[in-house]
Amino acid sequence: MKFDKVTLDHGSGGKISHSLVADILLPIFDNPILADLHDGAILELKGNRLAFSTDSYTVDPIFFPGGHIGDLAINGTVNDIAMCGGNPLYLSVGMIIEEAFPMADLEKILAGMGAAARKAGVAVVTGDTKVVPKGAADKIFINTSGIGLIPDHVDIGSTKARVGDRIILSGTIADHGVTILTQREGLTFESTLTTESAPLNHMVSDMVALKGSVHVLRDPTRGGVGTALNELAQKSDVGIKIVEKNIPVKPEVASICELLGFDPLYLANEGKLLASREIFDGRVVRLSVDRVRLPNGAATELEMIR
């Protein structure tokens, strides 16, 4: 599909968003590191391997049950580094703030970012602040970038999933997406849903301690679990067989999705990860999804089984 103008779909994390990156951005900046299209870049520097990632946050509303744009920004970049197998160490924070933004809200956001950084065990070491005229931005935008060290024994990449691996998921899906959606649209349900934004680096550290067992890590944020699995299958040239009944969805999330016509597989998640690994370890995760090479060899096909 060709577009004359950028649309909201270009930032959704789905097929149109992927096309923007693959068809326009990648040819301009093309290099082997970027071409991997992973959650972050894996860099070699004087005998060390570094994970580097950057992300920008424009969530609306900026405050929501269970968190806000600030802790989301810290956790998001921490998790992108962790998905490269890295131990996050240092972050930068850049903020674009709309004129007349309440100082009390800014202080609350910054306090939450500090708490999130301490929980993840990272330090915010540099940053930048810009204030734009009222109406030139939507309240506050935050960018976080980060670096971390990758242990020598870790070999994780978007192309490394293998036939016979198990895809494992660390929790229920679509909680964050439904929480943000209902808050943004002012929808009221009898629900106690909150976002589950959280740092995943400590969990990843435990997982990669089992040397050689983890091949791919992804956090299914924008585009959800379905998009992340499609990308995994495409990059690793394997098929994925999903046992739908085994995917954990909270009853209230399933009910809201059914009412509003959304597929929870394609709604955003926070604080959850997907891993392709050889050994299923129920101590670390709660879901196993069978993976097989499909007979027709289609790399991105998902076979749904009810």
Side-chain angles (χ1 to χ4, degrees):
M1 299 176 64
K2 291 187 177 181
F3 295 84
D4 295 326
K5 298 180 180 180
V6 175
T7 71
L8 287 175
D9 285 338
H10 283 101
S12 67
K15 292 176 67 175
I16 294 176
S17 181
H18 178 78
S19 177
L20 173 67
V21 174
D23 298 339
I24 299 179
L25 298 179
L26 186 56
I28 294 173
F29 302 111
D30 191 23
N31 62 73
I33 298 173
L34 180 62
D36 196 38
L37 295 180
H38 197 35
D39 287 312
I42 297 177
L43 312 173
E44 298 277 352
L45 183 62
K46 294 184 177 180
N48 295 311
R49 287 189 304 153
L50 301 178
F52 171 71
S53 186
T54 187
D55 211 341
S56 299
Y57 296 82
T58 62
V59 63
D60 178 32
I62 58 174
F63 295 100
F64 40 83
H68 51 65
I69 189 173
D71 51 33
L72 192 69
I74 295 292
N75 291 333
T77 293
V78 164
N79 292 344
D80 282 346
I81 295 170
M83 295 306 104
C84 297
N87 297 318
L89 297 173
Y90 303 110
L91 300 187
S92 71
V93 173
M95 297 184 293
I96 298 176
I97 308 169
E98 184 183 23
E99 179 188 17
F101 185 73
M103 190 62 70
D105 286 349
L106 179 59
E107 291 174 352
K108 183 177 180 180
I109 288 169
L110 291 173
M113 295 177 77
R118 289 189 293 274
K119 184 175 181 180
V122 299
V124 175
V125 294
T126 189
D128 181 57
T129 302
K130 295 290 188 296
V131 178
V132 298
K134 191 171 179 60
D138 186 7
K139 304 178 187 69
I140 184 171
F141 300 151
I142 300 177
N143 173 274
T144 48
S145 299
I147 58 173
L149 283 173
I150 302 174
D152 291 339
H153 69 270
V154 174
D155 185 21
I156 290 172
S158 60
T159 63
K160 298 183 183 297
R162 306 170 186 170
V163 174
D165 280 2
R166 305 287 274 183
I167 293 289
I168 51 181
L169 175 64
S170 65
T172 55
I173 68 170
D175 300 342
H176 177 77
V178 169
T179 298
I180 296 298
L181 175 67
T182 54
Q183 293 291 308
R184 180 184 301 153
E185 302 301 327
L187 302 175
T188 302
F189 297 95
E190 291 186 3
S191 170
T192 58
L193 277 178
T194 66
T195 182
E196 294 192 353
S197 175
L200 297 170
N201 53 314
H202 305 306
M203 179 191 293
V204 169
S205 180
D206 289 341
M207 295 177 71
V208 299
L210 302 172
K211 297 182 180 181
S213 65
V214 179
H215 300 149
V216 182
L217 288 167
R218 297 300 297 266
D219 57 339
T221 49
R222 288 185 309 162
V225 169
T227 296
L229 289 176
N230 269 285
E231 291 174 350
L232 188 157
Q234 185 178 39
K235 294 294 292 184
S236 292
D237 191 27
V238 295
I240 297 175
K241 180 180 179 181
I242 298 178
V243 182
E244 189 176 15
K245 66 180 182 180
N246 290 344
I247 297 179
V249 184
K250 291 178 180 176
E252 56 265 49
V253 169
S255 297
I256 293 171
C257 286
E258 184 175 1
L259 179 64
L260 300 179
F262 289 101
D263 185 343
L265 269 175
Y266 291 92
L267 291 180
N269 303 273
E270 293 290 341
K272 312 290 170 62
L273 65 79
L274 288 162
S276 169
R277 61 179 299 189
E278 293 175 90
I279 305 168
F280 174 69
D281 184 349
R283 178 177 58 84
V284 177
V285 294
R286 300 199 297 265
L287 173 73
S288 172
V289 180
D290 292 324
R291 301 178 61 258
V292 297
R293 181 176 291 277
L294 301 179
N296 60 9
T300 59
E301 182 176 348
L302 297 178
E303 180 180 351
M304 304 300 295
I305 299 177
R306 294 188 180 275

